[in-house]
């Protein structure tokens, strides 16, 4: 089955996982790093819910590329990890990742995935997906061993669900791809409905 692009598509993300998800759908797309510096700008943002923050950041990323490539359909996405109703920043090193997972140990947390498509400098599609994950009750050594094995610092939630991270959880409710950072089915539905791609 061949998928044809009727218009150029850009992924505004440096995420290798998002890149692989789109590749697996046999889409023809270009990857361009967003000009919006999330880490720099976050400190100046007003307080938002994890949902609003995920969509806001996804929009900023997509629009920063769409303004330069207005004829392309630009995909932006963002992932916000939520615990006790607060967004959790990405861990910067192994020790921070261990501390983060220790807080989640035996408890629920959420992954909030914002997904947008921009065209001609405007957002034309928005999707939000929220996934609840309950972590197994693990020993401190198990958490340390996991982080060292998956080198999972720098990820939303400090785990790589696409790798060994699946073993950390006893229950997951929601879209698998939303955990990875790109809820692919709603995106494909939109691209097909607007004839941006077709069989």
């Amino acid at each position: 089955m061949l998928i044809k692009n009727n218009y150029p598509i850009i992924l505004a993300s440096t995420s290798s996982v998002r890149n692989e998800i789109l590749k697996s759908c046999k889409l023809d797309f270009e990857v361009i790093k967003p000009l919006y510096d999330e880490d720099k700008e976050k400190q100046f943002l007003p307080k938002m819910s994890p949902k609003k923050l995920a969509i806001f950041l996804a929009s900023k990323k997509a629009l920063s590329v769409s303004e330069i490539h207005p004829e392309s359909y630009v995909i932006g996405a963002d992932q916000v990890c939520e615990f006790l109703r607060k967004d959790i920043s990405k861990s910067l090193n192994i020790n921070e990742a261990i501390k983060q997972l220790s807080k989640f140990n035996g408890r629920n947390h959420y992954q909030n995935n914002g997904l947008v498509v921009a065209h001609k400098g405007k957002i034309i599609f928005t999707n939000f997906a929220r996934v609840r994950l309950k972590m197994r009750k693990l020993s401190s050594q198990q958490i340390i061993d996991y982080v060292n094995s998956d080198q999972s610092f720098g990820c939303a939630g400090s785990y790589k669900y696409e790798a060994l991270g699946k073993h950390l959880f006893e229950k997951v409710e929601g879209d698998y791809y939303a955990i990875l950072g790109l809820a692919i089915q709603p995106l494909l539905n939109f691209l097909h409905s607007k004839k941006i791609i077709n069989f």
Side-chain angles (χ1 to χ4, degrees):
M1 184 182 297
L2 297 175
I3 306 300
K4 179 186 176 185
N5 279 48
N6 297 317
Y7 302 93
I9 295 173
I10 296 173
L11 173 63
S13 175
T14 56
S15 164
S16 59
V17 176
R18 292 185 183 118
N19 192 336
E20 288 302 317
I21 292 172
L22 282 187
K23 279 185 179 177
S24 72
C25 299
K26 307 302 181 186
L27 296 186
D28 181 18
F29 65 97
E30 185 180 357
V31 176
I32 296 180
K33 181 180 178 180
L35 299 178
Y36 181 76
D37 190 335
E38 175 184 344
D39 295 327
K40 182 180 178 182
E41 298 295 333
K42 251 185 177 180
Q43 58 184 318
F44 302 112
L45 296 179
K47 185 64 180 173
M48 300 184 207
S49 67
K51 175 180 180 178
K52 286 184 177 179
L53 182 60
I55 294 172
F56 177 85
L57 293 174
S59 298
K60 285 291 188 179
K61 292 174 185 178
L63 290 171
S64 73
V65 175
S66 181
E67 288 166 2
I68 301 170
H69 302 273
E71 299 307 317
S72 295
Y73 287 84
V74 182
I75 301 165
D78 195 79
Q79 192 83 342
V80 175
C81 183
E82 174 190 349
F83 181 61
L84 300 179
R85 299 184 179 179
K86 295 180 180 179
D87 59 278
I88 305 298
S89 299
K90 293 176 182 177
S91 52
L92 299 177
N93 53 53
I94 286 177
N95 288 335
E96 284 189 13
I98 291 168
K99 286 180 182 177
Q100 212 166 84
L101 288 175
S102 296
K103 289 180 181 179
F104 300 162
N105 201 7
R107 306 175 77 176
N108 290 320
H109 72 278
Y110 299 85
Q111 290 288 1
N112 297 280
N113 180 235
L115 169 66
V116 305
V117 177
H119 183 60
K120 295 184 178 179
K122 293 182 179 180
I123 300 298
I124 60 169
F125 171 75
T126 301
N127 183 78
F128 175 73
R130 191 168 190 257
V131 183
R132 182 167 75 92
L133 302 98
K134 184 175 182 183
M135 191 170 160
R136 300 181 192 281
K137 187 64 179 173
L138 303 175
S139 69
S140 297
Q141 191 59 51
Q142 285 175 311
I143 292 173
I144 291 168
D145 290 344
Y146 165 72
V147 173
N148 283 320
S149 178
D150 246 0
Q151 293 291 297
S152 57
F153 57 91
C155 302
S158 294
Y159 52 85
K160 294 181 179 178
Y161 196 82
E162 70 279 9
L164 293 174
K166 300 178 191 70
H167 294 281
L168 299 175
F169 304 102
E170 65 178 51
K171 191 172 184 180
V172 174
E173 296 176 357
D175 185 342
Y176 168 79
Y177 287 102
I179 303 172
L180 302 188
L182 189 70
I184 191 64
Q185 202 61 58
L187 175 62
L188 291 179
N189 291 346
F190 171 76
L191 295 177
H192 279 290
S193 71
K194 298 300 182 183
K195 309 299 183 187
I196 299 165
I197 61 172
N198 64 268
F199 294 129

